[in-house]
Amino acid sequence: MPEVAEPVYAYRLSAPNSPKSPKACRDAIAALLQANGLDDLADTARLLVSEAVTNVHQHTATPVIQIDTLVRDRIATIAVRDSSPDDLPRPRRAEADEEGGRGLFLMKQLAHACGVTWESGAHPTGKHIWFELRDPLTE
């Protein structure tokens, strides 16, 4: 008998670009993953969403941050969108005493895959910083 694939679930969260949004977004995405039975991914998602939303808040003037989450086959793909195509996220080496500067490094270390996708082709209108998390049972 052929194996039946799990359905794909898509979610979108919108939040204002404010200092309160990283906490609200990380808690909402963690709860969403837990509701989908992906408890093992919730803490990593919480950290990476918080880093990505904080970066949008600190480095762009976008008024609304959108987070798209796709859940399928025990895999979560999370994309944090802003409307600032010019500000390319760049990893940097943070000093030991710095509080920030490690978000992209953490994403590369903790996610199964990650990247940046621009919207609207040759004249981008925004970008998505995305990462994929996989349940340890799928690896």
Side-chain angles (χ1 to χ4, degrees):
M1 182 171 277
E3 195 172 308
V4 177
E6 290 184 35
V8 176
Y9 296 103
Y11 303 88
R12 174 167 283 172
L13 170 69
S14 295
N17 186 354
S18 85
K20 295 179 181 182
S21 289
K23 180 183 180 354
C25 292
R26 71 178 174 243
D27 291 348
I29 298 301
L32 182 153
L33 294 178
Q34 290 166 338
N36 279 277
L38 296 174
D39 299 70
D40 290 344
L41 304 181
D43 285 339
T44 302
R46 188 185 315 267
L47 172 64
L48 298 182
V49 165
S50 184
E51 291 291 336
V53 172
T54 297
N55 283 347
V56 171
H57 174 66
Q58 290 179 339
H59 301 292
T60 77
T62 189
V64 177
I65 301 167
Q66 290 183 334
I67 303 176
D68 293 318
T69 304
L70 205 62
V71 177
R72 70 195 184 310
D73 298 326
R74 315 239 5 112
I75 298 169
T77 304
I78 301 168
V80 178
R81 183 196 179 280
D82 67 61
S83 59
S84 182
D86 299 326
D87 298 320
L88 175 63
R90 290 183 180 85
R92 66 179 185 87
R93 183 173 294 255
E95 297 297 326
D97 60 345
E98 282 185 274
E99 288 186 23
R102 295 174 184 82
L104 293 176
F105 171 78
L106 288 170
M107 197 172 287
K108 287 182 181 267
Q109 295 299 309
L110 298 175
H112 180 78
C114 62
V116 179
T117 304
W118 278 264
E119 294 180 351
S120 301
H123 301 286
T125 59
K127 65 184 173 299
H128 290 85
I129 308 301
W130 61 268
F131 59 91
E132 180 180 286
L133 301 176
R134 294 185 175 203
D135 189 304
L137 298 175
T138 63
E139 295 185 4

